[in-house]
Amino acid sequence: MKRSTVHHTFVIERTFAVPASRVYQAFADPKAKARWFVGPDEWQKSDLRMDERLISVSVATLELKPAGKGTKLTITEQGAYLDGFDNGAQRQHGTGELLDQLERALNEKVPV
């Protein structure tokens, strides 16, 4: 099998109507993160694999800044996508969907 690696970097910015401490807590606390950081049933929360084959690796940087009474979150993700099983556009789309889920969790009345 011919091996390949494609590198891709993307940036997503979102503003949430909650203080930075709540956004930070949603990422840092395992119980809070479990409420929104979910995918399909077959998805595992460790390495991204397909049939036991590693399909990508990445480094993500999260930056939180005040935005009025809310928080601006900037995510920069640098990825290496292996053997054509994953790509930057798919990862960017999936990250956007996770941030939609984060926003819903942050807007709920229960603490995150």
Side-chain angles (χ1 to χ4, degrees):
M1 175 181 171
K2 185 177 178 185
R3 307 297 310 257
S4 67
T5 304
V6 175
H7 297 271
H8 180 78
T9 299
F10 64 85
V11 177
I12 298 176
E13 295 179 341
R14 293 283 181 97
T15 301
F16 301 105
V18 298
S21 60
R22 287 211 48 218
V23 179
Y24 177 83
Q25 188 71 15
F27 279 93
D29 180 274
K31 288 181 182 178
K33 191 172 182 181
R35 290 185 45 231
W36 65 271
F37 196 84
V38 295
D41 290 338
E42 67 276 4
W43 188 56
Q44 296 178 9
K45 292 183 184 176
S46 56
D47 298 332
L48 284 175
R49 295 181 180 272
M50 179 182 291
D51 298 325
E52 301 302 316
R53 178 185 299 260
L54 185 65
I55 64 171
S56 65
V57 293
S58 67
V59 174
T61 304
L62 284 70
E63 182 179 9
L64 302 174
K65 288 186 174 182
K69 294 182 180 181
T71 304
K72 179 180 177 182
L73 168 66
T74 303
I75 296 179
T76 303
E77 186 163 333
Q78 300 165 304
Y81 304 95
L82 310 173
D83 303 327
F85 292 107
D86 195 3
N87 64 58
Q90 289 173 315
R91 180 68 60 86
Q92 185 170 351
H93 177 78
T95 301
E97 288 182 341
L98 286 171
L99 293 178
D100 292 343
Q101 292 172 188
L102 170 60
E103 184 166 26
R104 285 190 292 276
L106 290 170
N107 290 333
E108 292 175 0
K109 298 298 181 193
V110 294
V112 177

